[in-house]
Amino acid sequence: MRNFLLHLALLSATVPVFGVDSPICLTANDLSIATGKPSLVLMSSGSVHIPVWSLSGGTEGQSVAGLVSGLPRECAAVRVEIVVTTNDAETSSSFSDVYRAHLSQMVENAPIADHYYLGTPVHTPLPAGPLHTRTIVLESYYEVVPNAPLWVRIQREPGDPGDSFTKPTGLAMVKVTPLDAPAKAHVVQSEGGYNSWPMLQALGDKLVCVYTRGKGHTIGEDARATYARTSTDGGKTWTPETVVANSPGYGDVPVGKGLDSTGAMLLWVRRVGKEWYQDLYRTTDGVTFTLISTPKLAVRPMQITDVFSVPTVGLMSLWFAGDYSDKPTNAWGIVTSKDDGATWTQTTVESDLPKAQWPTEPAAVYLGDGRILAIARSETGPSQFQIVSTDSGATWKRTQTNIGDIFCSTPSLVLDAKTGLLSNYYYQRGKGLLRRRIVDPKFIFDNPSHWPASDIVATGSKVTFDAGNANATEINGTHYLSFYSGKAPSTTVYVSAVPAPAPGNAGPSSSGSEQPPQK
C-alpha cells in the first residue's frame, strides 16, 4: 500500500512540461466540483496522504472539472487520461466502472459551447485488489485551438449498465497530452462523384485499391461501378483507373477482398438491381479482373466480407443478412470454398436476430490451432462485437467488447506474422477519426472486454455517412489503410501508411493494467 501511495505522490508532483507529447497534469487539488456532490478526501497510508475526488458508485451526475492552459502552438489535438483508484476491500477484476470526459475550449470571441465535445463512456475492469493505480484513456484525440484554455470535466457514470462497482472510486489526476496531427493520407481517387467503400489488398509489393463510384450514398444506382488502381510506392502515386465491374442495370460495390492459395487477389462485388448477386473476381496484377463465381446461396447476404484461409477448410468469408430494421429477421454466418473460390458452401451461424444483436461487416483472422477471431460492427452500439471459434469455424461464440468509440464503424484486422500482434482499424463516423487498437490476440481471445485504448492514425470528414469504411493490408512492416472522406455528392478515396506495431507494443488493457502473461 505504501509503495502505491508513494508512486501516486510522485505522479501528483509532476511539473508540467509544455511540449507536444509531454503531459500536463491536473491533480485533485486543481479540480473543483462541476455537478452533483463529489467529495475531496485524503487517501492515506501511514504518513502518506494523497488527495482524490471520491466519485460515487450509486449516485449519478457527479463530476469535477478544471482548466488547462498553455497548450503548445504546434499541437493539433490532445489525449485525455485519468488516474483512478479505490481503497475498497471488495475491489476485484470481476467489477467494472465507467467514466466519460466533457471537453471544450475558451476561444477568444467565441461562445464556450462552440467547441464542446461529449466523450464516449469508457468501460474498464477494476484491478485485482485495492490501491492499484489505473490510467484510463477517455479521449485519444480531441482537436484543439492552440493557446486557448481547455476545459475538462470528468464524470463517473454509475447509471451505465457497464458500471457494476457500487462503491466509490477516487480520481487522483487528469493528464492532458498535446499531440501532433497524424501524417496526411495519400489520394487515390478524388474526381467524378461519390468515390467510396474502398478495399485494399497487398499483391506482393503492390497495393491494389478497389473502390466504387456513384452519385451518392446508394448501393443500387445504375451509375455505380467498381474501379481499381495500383501503387508500387506505398500509395504516393497510382496507376490510371481501370474498370472492375460496371453491370448494366445494377450498382456494383466491392465488399470483401483476400488471397487464394496461389497468391492471386480475390474480390467480392455486390451487384444490386432488380435482383441481388455476390460476384467473385480474381486478379493477378490488380488491373485485369476475371469473374470466377456467382454462388447461389439459400440466404441472400447483404455482404460477403474479406477472404482468409483456414487449414483443412479452405477459403472462408463471413457474411451477414438483414434489412437494418428492428425486426428480428437478421442473420450471419460463413461461406467456405475448397477450390479457390470456384464453388462455395453457405452455413448460417445465427438467425432471427434483433438489430442490437446483429454483427455486421465482420473482419476475421486465423490465429492457428483452429482458432479464428473476428470483430464485427454494431448497428446500434454500444460497442463492437468479438466473435471467436476454436474449431476452424464449426462453432462460434459472440460477445460484446469494450470498444465503444464507434458509430457504424466497419473493422479491419491485420495480424502481423513477425510479432503476432493484432491491429483493429476502424473509422469513427461523425468524429472523423480513423482509430487503431493493438493487442495480443492470445490474450484478447478470451478477454473481449479488455481491448486496449485506441490511437489515431488518420483524420477525415466528420459528415456522418460520407466518410469511413477502413480497410487494411500490410507490406514489409507497414500497414496501409484505405478509407473515404468528403461530403456528398463529392467524396475522395484515401490511403494512409503507418508502421506495424513493434514487438511488445500490445497496448495495456483499457483498465490501465498490463495484459497478463500467457500460460
Side-chain angles (χ1 to χ4, degrees), residues 62 127 254 339:
Q62 292 191 350
D339 52 14

Side-chain angles (χ1 to χ4, degrees), residues 184-429:
K184 288 187 176 181
H186 304 301
V187 173
V188 180
Q189 175 67 29
S190 61
E191 299 177 354
Y194 199 91
N195 301 284
S196 56
W197 308 317
M199 293 282 143
L200 190 65
Q201 178 63 53
L203 201 56
D205 290 334
K206 178 192 295 185
L207 288 173
V208 181
C209 186
V210 182
Y211 52 92
T212 181
R213 183 167 59 250
K215 296 180 179 179
H217 195 98
T218 56
I219 61 174
E221 58 177 321
D222 188 23
R224 180 167 294 283
T226 292
Y227 305 91
R229 291 177 181 267
T230 68
S231 174
T232 55
D233 57 6
K236 297 176 184 177
T237 61
W238 295 85
T239 56
E241 184 178 81
T242 58
V243 177
V244 176
N246 187 8
S247 308
Y250 292 85
D252 296 289
V253 176
V255 291
K257 57 87 198 280
L259 300 174
D260 69 12
S261 65
T262 71
M265 177 181 172
L266 298 177
L267 179 73
W268 285 110
V269 174
R270 179 180 57 197
R271 178 162 46 104
V272 177
K274 292 182 179 180
E275 297 175 312
W276 289 53
Y277 298 98
Q278 305 285 338
D279 295 330
L280 185 66
Y281 289 82
R282 182 178 186 272
T283 182
T284 57
D285 59 8
V287 177
T288 302
F289 289 75
T290 302
L291 177 64
I292 63 170
S293 179
T294 303
K296 294 181 179 180
L297 304 173
V299 180
R300 187 188 75 183
M302 175 62 67
Q303 292 182 23
I304 301 177
T305 60
D306 288 354
V307 180
F308 58 103
S309 180
V310 178
T312 74
V313 174
L315 301 181
M316 181 179 293
S317 291
L318 278 69
W319 58 267
F320 65 99
D323 60 3
Y324 298 91
S325 72
D326 292 324
K327 299 176 182 178
T329 56
N330 304 300
W332 72 275
I334 62 172
V335 289
T336 57
S337 174
K338 293 184 177 295
D339 52 14
D340 269 343
T343 60
W344 293 85
T345 300
Q346 184 182 42
T347 301
T348 299
V349 177
E350 289 186 290
S351 59
D352 301 323
L353 293 173
K355 186 163 65 172
Q357 294 299 317
W358 183 35
T360 64
E361 305 197 15
V365 291
Y366 180 72
L367 301 176
D369 297 324
R371 292 155 66 92
I372 304 170
L373 188 150
I375 298 295
R377 164 173 151 173
S378 168
E379 297 301 321
T380 63
S383 59
Q384 289 180 334
F385 293 101
Q386 180 168 303
I387 310 169
V388 296
S389 173
T390 58
D391 50 16
S392 298
T395 61
W396 297 82
K397 179 182 178 181
R398 175 174 55 85
T399 314
Q400 210 94 38
T401 69
N402 63 323
I403 303 172
D405 46 6
I406 59 166
F407 181 73
C408 293
S409 300
T410 301
S412 187
L413 303 180
V414 176
L415 179 64
D416 284 293
K418 290 184 179 180
T419 64
L421 296 177
L422 179 67
S423 297
N424 177 12
Y425 292 97
Y426 56 98
Y427 191 99
Q428 187 180 13
R429 282 174 155 153

